Amino acid sequence: PSEALPDPVLNEIDYDQPGADAGGFVELYNAGLSPADLEGLALVFVDGATGSEYRRRPLRGALAPGAYLVVPVDAQNGSPDGVALYDTRYEGVIDTLSYEGAIERAFIGPFAHPLVEGNALPASEADSNSVTGSLARLPNGSDTDDAATDWAFTTTVTPGRENAR
């Protein structure tokens, strides 16, 4: 049954910390009911000014149902920038987030992909260099394919745990 499929999603990103940026991360969550094979998947970071990939982090192993994977990375905090969970085997985007504005064309691999799901996350809904926080799916693991509904800024940073307001 389809509900038994794995469902890895981007779940939280901390890309802008107070003061000098250090200690950033991207968190994945398996919202499915079976293990998610991460072989061949990568986190791809996109500079919104150019739509170009600037960093790629290959993933390995498996992610159990209901489990989290925290990938330490200091992502850019321009306006806009974005991250994609990308399948390198099929050259397709599994999940995306464009933050501080919409990225309609991101050049990842041989194709251009939109990094906006449904309605874009409002540019005002952003991580902050003056307040500790992150962008998180609220409720945890929710994926309605609408960024404006699924994502919000929270001052409760929860790497490796359920997201909270």
Side-chain angles (χ1 to χ4, degrees), residues 135-148:
L135 291 177
R137 285 192 188 266
L138 295 168
N140 189 67
S142 65
D143 189 5
T144 65
D145 288 328
D146 187 78

Side-chain angles (χ1 to χ4, degrees), residues 49-112:
T50 63
S52 299
E53 177 180 332
Y54 70 87
R55 180 175 295 138
R56 182 180 290 221
R57 290 284 168 91
L59 302 173
R60 300 195 188 325
L63 189 58
Y68 302 89
L69 173 67
V70 178
V71 179
V73 62
D74 288 316
Q76 289 184 173
N77 56 9
S79 179
D81 284 315
V83 60
L85 179 59
Y86 181 72
D87 188 322
T88 63
R89 298 164 293 197
Y90 300 104
E91 298 174 333
V93 170
I94 296 170
D95 196 19
T96 67
L97 177 64
S98 178
Y99 51 89
E100 296 190 30
I103 301 174
E104 299 294 338
R105 289 174 48 96
F107 299 96
I108 304 172
F111 304 109

Side-chain angles (χ1 to χ4, degrees), residues 35-47:
D37 181 7
L38 301 179
E39 297 296 326
L41 301 185
L43 289 175
V44 175
F45 298 85
V46 175
D47 181 335

